[in-house]
Amino acid sequence: MRRQLEAKKLAMGEMVMQMREMKEDVKSKNEQLCTALKSLLVAGKKLCAANQQLQEANKLVIGKMGHGNAKSLQKMLRMRQQHMINQVNSLYPVKSSNENALKEKLDKPCGGDQVQLSLENEPKSPPVSSLTILGQQLTAIPLKKTGFFSDKKEMQRSSIVLGFVAHAVFLIASYLDVPLRYPLHLGGSRSHICDYAPSTEATTSDSTVSSVVDACAKPTKFPLFLEGQDSTRAAYAIFLLNKDLEQILNFFGAESLGPRHILANLKELTTIIQSPEFLDK
């Protein structure tokens, strides 16, 4: 019985040790749980504060000065820009020469069968080179060497057309708030275009001096007409004018149709602005 009692005492001692270890384990886990509960309460308070800030931000977005109002104002601005540029297009309409010829044929008194035949004979897709602005076509004279025996009327016609295009580009860029890379100095058929590019005449030895000089240098003007001007400078002026058109086209994610298609690029630009998708850009 004594041996059994000693064995029970030993077993009771081991159970007491296990109970102590279990108490210590429960105590440490209780402390960990309290710490986690405190951190959870702090995170809950932060979440409530963030949710309140989100609700206030949503009220600001939905309110009178919110995102919806900004979208409506932007759409109103696009509608105004579209209206103003449509007026520019009505002032300087770019059409194909076939449309002008067809209008003249329709204006003439003739029988219905003749009108139908003339409509059938008209080509479906006129070439880009047949585009006109206010009935005037831009010829390739600026790309040729002019001389004393050059056609003065053709030169004047080209200068007039370039003046029309320069004025239209200037108005469209100002309405769209697009600063042109090559500014325009309007003067009708005696308009100019400026280039702020640095001079290429400076050598490598005085590169530091030329950089300071070019920073303060005045822009170089190139004439958009041929009379009394070098044909090379006039051709470069036309190239710069087309680069301005390309800049506005790129502003809407469109590509230029080519460096020699000024009227086609202008027509493409007005077509993009007149489209319903322009209001959502």
Side-chain angles (χ1 to χ4, degrees):
M1 290 177 65
R2 287 180 180 176
R3 291 178 182 174
Q4 292 178 357
L5 182 62
E6 289 178 356
K8 288 182 179 180
K9 286 182 178 180
L10 290 174
M12 288 294 294
E14 291 179 356
M15 290 178 66
V16 169
M17 292 296 294
Q18 290 178 0
M19 288 293 293
R20 289 178 180 175
E21 291 178 357
M22 290 178 67
K23 284 183 179 180
E24 291 177 356
D25 189 18
V26 168
K27 186 178 180 180
S28 63
K29 288 183 178 180
N30 191 14
E31 291 177 354
Q32 293 177 1
L33 184 61
C34 290
T35 305
L37 184 61
K38 290 180 181 179
S39 62
L40 184 60
L41 291 174
V42 173
K45 291 180 180 179
K46 290 182 179 179
L47 181 61
C48 291
N51 191 16
Q52 187 176 359
Q53 291 179 358
L54 181 61
Q55 291 179 358
E56 292 177 357
N58 287 332
K59 290 180 181 179
L60 292 175
V61 168
I62 302 173
K64 295 182 179 180
M65 302 300 294
H67 179 69
N69 183 53
K71 290 290 290 183
S72 63
L73 289 176
Q74 184 180 6
K75 190 170 184 179
M76 291 173 61
L77 175 62
R78 288 300 189 193
M79 291 175 64
R80 182 61 178 168
Q81 289 174 337
Q82 190 180 58
H83 174 69
M84 297 172 72
I85 294 173
N86 285 340
Q87 290 181 338
V88 175
N89 188 40
S90 63
L91 289 174
Y92 300 109
V94 179
K95 300 179 180 179
S96 65
S97 58
N98 295 322
E99 291 180 8
N100 296 329
L102 179 60
K103 186 177 180 182
E104 292 178 359
K105 290 180 181 180
L106 292 176
D107 291 338
K108 292 181 180 179
C110 58
D113 295 336
Q114 294 177 358
V115 173
Q116 185 175 2
L117 290 174
S118 63
L119 288 173
E120 291 176 356
N121 293 330
E122 291 296 328
K124 299 293 183 180
S125 57
V128 175
S129 60
S130 65
L131 292 176
T132 61
I133 181 169
L134 282 177
Q136 301 293 329
Q137 187 174 0
L138 182 62
T139 60
I141 287 181
L143 303 179
K144 300 178 182 178
K145 292 184 178 180
T146 59
F148 181 77
F149 297 101
S150 299
D151 191 351
K152 301 298 181 183
K153 291 184 179 180
E154 289 292 333
M155 294 170 59
Q156 292 175 359
R157 189 179 296 112
S158 298
S159 302
I160 292 171
V161 171
L162 291 173
F164 290 160
V165 176
H167 192 201
V169 172
F170 177 83
L171 291 176
I172 292 173
S174 61
Y175 294 156
L176 296 175
D177 197 18
V178 177
L180 293 176
R181 173 65 179 83
Y182 305 102
L184 291 162
H185 286 217
L186 301 178
S189 60
R190 292 295 182 270
S191 300
H192 291 78
I193 191 166
C194 299
D195 186 10
Y196 284 88
S199 175
T200 57
E201 296 178 357
T203 59
T204 55
S205 59
D206 56 353
S207 59
T208 56
V209 179
S210 63
S211 61
V212 178
V213 172
D214 290 332
C216 303
K218 294 182 179 180
T220 305
K221 288 186 178 181
F222 293 93
L224 287 167
F225 55 92
L226 274 172
E227 274 189 89
Q229 301 293 330
D230 183 13
S231 60
T232 305
R233 291 174 59 84
Y236 186 64
I238 296 173
F239 172 76
L240 295 182
L241 180 60
N242 195 62
K243 295 299 287 184
D244 282 343
L245 275 169
E246 182 180 356
Q247 177 187 353
I248 304 176
L249 284 170
N250 293 339
F251 180 74
F252 295 109
E255 296 292 335
S256 173
L257 299 177
R260 296 184 180 180
H261 302 301
I262 291 182
L263 295 181
N265 286 330
L266 181 58
K267 185 175 179 62
E268 178 70 14
L269 178 60
T270 55
T271 302
I272 292 173
I273 295 173
Q274 290 172 348
S275 64
E277 291 80 9
F278 173 77
L279 301 178
D280 298 327
K281 288 185 179 293

